[in-house]
Amino acid sequence: MSDQAVVGSFAPYAAQRAGERGARARLAIAGLALLLCVTAAISLASGASDASVLSVLGQWMKGGVNADALSLRDRVIIHDIRLPRLVLGMLVGASLAVSGAVMQGLFRNPLADPGIVGVSSGASLGAVSMIVLGGTSLAPFTSLFGNHALPLAAFMGGLLVMFVLYRVATRGGQTSVATLLLAGIAIGALAGALTGMLVFMADDSQLRDMTFWQLGSLAGATWSKVAAVAPVMIAALAAAPFMARGLNALALGEATAFHLGVPVQRLKYVAIVATAAATGAAVAVSGGIGFVGIVVPHLLRLLIGPDNRYLLPASALLGATLLLLADALSRTIVAPAELPIGIVTAAAGAPFFLWILLRRRGMLDL
Amino acid sequence: MIQVCTLRRAMAVLPMAVMAFAFALSPALAEETQTALPKDARIVAIGGSITEIIYALGQENRLVARDSTSLYPEAALALPDVGYMRQLSPEGVLSVGPQGIIALEGSGPREAVDVLKKASVPIFMVPERFDRDGIVDKIHAVGAALGERDKALELAASVSADIDAAEALTKDVGARKRVLFILSIQGGKVMASGSGTAANGVIAMAGGVNAIEGFSGYKQLSDEAIITARPDLILLMDRGGANGITQEQLLANTALATTPAGTAKAIVRMDGTYLLGFGPRTGAAIRDLATALYGAKVRG
């Protein structure tokens, strides 16, 4: 129904309009980059404590380490709490938003997001398995990977779903997007059932851990976590620009895209692997953070149009910015305690999404 | 052909990802033996019973913050709340400028604890067990952290004697009554406590028998399991105001209504932190519960 509205306006005959739009989109991307820098600076400077970024930066630049207790505390806050959190927030936000944009292009469906093909359910299953079985059946895994056992299990869960999906949906070298979508829903339901079984087995403290994990949080950000997921996310994000033209062509239909010289099968494959890896990694380190993947690309399409060459980088920038803003809110609303970030993104994202839908409906009615 | 080669390439991603995680493993922080916190140290208490013990030791002037489960004594509510004990925010905790943290086992998450250690805040983890010796050990651990071993010894002795006396009340009652602790009723479904829970511990200490056997933690009960459990008394947390489970809600459940407790309307509500806290007030809680169970017989 809405293919036309979402991507159809990018069409060769509208070249001149597209040119104007391109200029506007480039301007918007520059603006978004600036906005991200400002947000990052604010995020680094704000928090529950009064740690001063400037004094810590000053200490770093002088190279001298002043070891009195207060400055040590400030250094830990800036260097070990806010900075890794900032980096992780940007990576997670960018990954979720770009994954959403790529999936919407790939499935030619404005409602697609990484959750819909079951990757998030698989990651949840991995995480919940570690929470419930980490001390018993999976104890060797826990002792091998320590604090990273949970994110690693989540990541593996997401990837596993993706591989199963890919095998199910590919026959004779052709991946059927429709089969992939339906199989994704089925596998997501299966993962949900297994998660439910673990929920039943869990004791009450594990249940509480699970609940908080599913609400999502960047509170566990550490440099080692950043180092663990950054390569996966950066690789996936770096692959996005190479998909842009292909995704644009795909909007005209698979056959047309193929005749335009797009290696459709390879495009589908790369898009699925990249989004699954990026989403799996994001869910692994931050738990369930909803609505970024679906809201950001939609908002940007209204702003700069559906051309993926601009949409994908803009999604990365806006996704990162929005997640940093949500995180800043989650850290300060109930300080010194902290609200799980998933609550903030869903509470702000859901009404916003409704608003977008209402606007879109208005446009369609015209 | 394409499929085989892409799939194989994809399979290579998995071990690479595993290696990326493995590389990022940081060496675990060594646990050093800790000396007591200095007298003027600013302390954060995490866990309701820890806060109670600190007050009972008369050391509350050293407290600068508490967690959201620390609801007793009322004076503690005036302290800043750093959040739920299992979901602490490292920066939030650091923002109150603590020089020491005394936390109940299970406080976390682990990352938050690691960051706090990195910021050179000494953390004392106090283990929890749901019996008398568990409480005594808790008091000793908190006393050691505060450098108040003598006061802790005194408090532990009086609390321990109090619990012994309360437990002795029910020593000679003949038939033990069966108690069903209900955590919540959601949509008519009963969530009850099995073994290994605080409720299970306090019921046993009050001379009762947990009506639920065969599972640990809190689980939803089927109607048949409720009837089979044959509780003589239903125990609930009193959450104050309209938040609690109402009498109507309980008796609307046919299975519950037909149990001995249901027909006799033997329903007891007790404050959650009082009943399940396993701190200095547990002796009194046991006495209250024993009285509710066996009445004048045990009032001695």
Side-chain angles (χ1 to χ4, degrees):
Chain A
M1 47 121 210
S2 46
D3 285 358
Q4 255 344 78
V6 176
V7 284
S9 52
F10 178 77
Y13 61 79
Q16 199 189 343
R17 235 181 101 205
E20 287 165 23
R21 200 173 240 170
R24 201 177 138 197
R26 276 189 288 273
L27 194 67
I29 288 177
L32 285 172
L34 190 69
L35 186 66
L36 177 59
C37 293
V38 174
T39 313
I42 293 171
S43 167
L44 196 60
S46 65
S49 73
D50 55 357
S52 159
V53 184
L54 290 178
S55 82
V56 172
L57 278 180
Q59 280 179 32
W60 275 336
M61 284 207 275
K62 270 186 250 154
V65 174
N66 189 351
D68 71 80
L70 191 69
S71 76
L72 171 69
R73 190 201 70 150
D74 279 13
R75 265 206 323 276
V76 168
I77 287 174
I78 303 293
H79 184 263
D80 293 306
I81 297 177
R82 289 193 197 160
L83 258 182
R85 200 167 171 151
L86 178 81
V87 175
L88 200 69
M90 292 200 296
L91 283 171
V92 168
S95 297
L96 291 174
V98 170
S99 297
V102 169
M103 287 229 162
Q104 284 158 24
L106 181 69
F107 291 124
R108 279 168 281 151
N109 183 330
L111 290 176
D113 86 337
I116 215 165
V117 292
V119 174
S120 309
S121 316
S124 285
L125 177 60
V128 169
S129 308
M130 279 319 296
I131 292 173
V132 179
L133 304 173
T136 53
S137 328
L138 298 176
F141 191 79
T142 315
S143 55
L144 188 58
F145 293 105
N147 278 356
H148 296 282
L150 194 150
L152 182 58
F155 185 55
M156 280 164 52
L159 281 188
L160 186 72
V161 165
M162 193 266 290
F163 283 121
V164 173
L165 269 181
Y166 195 76
R167 290 207 85 139
V168 169
T170 305
R171 173 160 293 185
Q174 293 301 308
T175 307
S176 154
V177 167
T179 313
L180 194 80
L181 203 60
L182 291 173
I185 291 169
I187 291 172
L190 182 63
L194 293 173
T195 305
M197 211 158 91
L198 290 164
V199 167
F200 176 75
M201 288 163 61
D203 67 30
D204 57 315
S205 70
Q206 291 166 341
L207 279 175
R208 283 178 290 196
D209 286 346
M210 251 182 246
T211 309
F212 277 110
W213 188 84
Q214 280 164 350
L215 290 175
S217 174
L218 291 174
T222 55
W223 283 118
S224 62
K225 260 192 194 172
V226 172
V229 294
V232 179
M233 290 179 170
I234 289 171
L237 290 173
F242 298 102
M243 292 185 253
R245 281 173 191 279
L247 288 175
N248 282 345
L250 208 58
L252 306 171
E254 256 183 58
T256 315
F258 181 76
H259 289 298
L260 285 172
V262 175
V264 174
Q265 180 58 23
R266 202 175 68 197
L267 172 68
K268 283 192 276 190
Y269 168 72
V270 171
I272 292 164
V273 171
T275 50
T279 313
V283 175
V285 285
S286 59
I289 297 181
F291 279 102
V292 177
I294 203 153
V295 165
V296 169
H298 277 281
L299 176 64
L300 287 170
R301 275 193 206 96
L302 291 177
L303 200 67
I304 62 170
D307 186 344
N308 283 297
R309 285 176 302 171
Y310 308 117
L311 183 65
L312 296 181
S315 292
L317 292 170
L318 188 61
T321 307
L322 283 185
L323 208 64
L324 286 187
L325 282 176
D327 187 46
L329 276 180
S330 83
R331 285 185 290 144
T332 46
I333 292 176
V334 292
E338 189 172 305
L339 215 56
I341 192 171
I343 296 175
V344 178
T345 56
F352 186 72
F353 191 56
L354 269 178
W355 175 73
I356 293 177
L357 288 180
L358 289 173
R359 259 194 79 153
R360 280 274 315 280
R361 194 190 57 182
M363 281 161 64
L364 291 176
D365 286 347
L366 281 175
Chain B
M1 263 184 321
I2 297 166
Q3 182 202 4
V4 171
C5 125
T6 50
L7 201 62
R8 194 175 300 149
R9 231 186 311 157
M11 288 301 183
V13 176
L14 199 69
M16 262 160 49
V18 173
M19 269 161 59
F21 273 99
F23 269 123
L25 290 183
S26 52
L29 284 155
E31 300 278 343
E32 68 259 46
T33 44
Q34 291 165 318
T35 48
L37 296 164
K39 289 281 171 216
D40 56 352
R42 300 162 55 85
I43 293 168
V44 177
I46 308 291
S49 57
I50 302 293
T51 307
E52 278 190 41
I53 292 170
I54 292 174
Y55 272 86
L57 290 170
Q59 302 297 307
E60 64 270 21
N61 55 333
R62 293 157 76 175
L63 280 182
V64 290
R66 51 147 191 135
D67 78 317
S68 63
T69 68
S70 299
L71 301 170
Y72 183 91
E74 226 177 301
L77 297 176
L79 294 167
D81 174 1
V82 296
Y84 183 50
M85 59 179 275
R86 294 180 167 277
Q87 204 56 33
L88 299 171
S89 136
E91 184 171 349
V93 175
L94 286 176
S95 74
V96 299
Q99 288 154 321
I101 296 169
I102 306 179
L104 193 60
E105 191 177 22
S107 299
R110 232 177 329 190
E111 291 94 349
V113 174
D114 286 348
V115 170
L116 291 170
K117 281 181 185 159
K118 197 160 186 181
S120 298
V121 182
I123 300 177
F124 294 81
M125 279 289 175
V126 180
E128 176 158 67
R129 286 198 324 277
F130 302 125
D131 54 27
R132 187 203 59 184
D133 290 347
I135 298 174
V136 168
D137 289 350
K138 242 193 226 177
I139 294 172
H140 284 311
V142 174
L146 293 168
E148 297 286 348
R149 283 172 194 276
D150 294 344
K151 278 190 186 147
L153 214 58
E154 250 173 69
L155 178 66
S158 80
V159 167
S160 166
D162 189 31
I163 294 174
D164 282 343
E167 281 190 293
L169 292 176
T170 54
K171 204 168 57 201
D172 301 323
V173 295
R176 308 255 139 179
K177 296 228 171 136
R178 301 172 64 82
V179 182
L180 176 67
F181 179 82
I182 298 182
L183 183 69
S184 67
I185 297 188
Q186 292 294 334
K189 298 232 166 23
V190 171
M191 186 81 88
S193 67
S195 59
T197 59
N200 186 75
V202 80
I203 289 168
M205 289 162 90
V209 174
N210 190 349
I212 299 303
E213 284 143 12
F215 67 74
S216 62
Y218 294 90
K219 294 265 158 31
Q220 246 174 33
L221 291 184
S222 70
D223 286 352
E224 281 186 38
I226 293 170
I227 292 168
T228 319
R230 287 180 295 104
D232 301 302
L233 183 104
I234 293 169
L235 186 58
L236 306 166
M237 272 200 273
D238 188 2
R239 289 165 214 258
N243 298 324
I245 304 167
T246 62
Q247 189 105 345
E248 292 73 50
Q249 258 180 308
L250 277 175
L251 299 176
N253 182 312
T254 329
L256 273 181
T258 53
T259 61
T263 49
K265 300 205 175 16
I267 297 162
V268 170
R269 291 161 209 275
M270 283 167 79
D271 179 79
T273 61
Y274 176 61
L275 179 68
L276 306 175
F278 281 80
R281 294 183 294 157
T282 296
I286 294 169
R287 202 168 284 122
D288 285 0
L289 184 55
T291 312
L293 275 171
Y294 303 107
K297 246 194 292 181
V298 296
R299 220 167 271 146

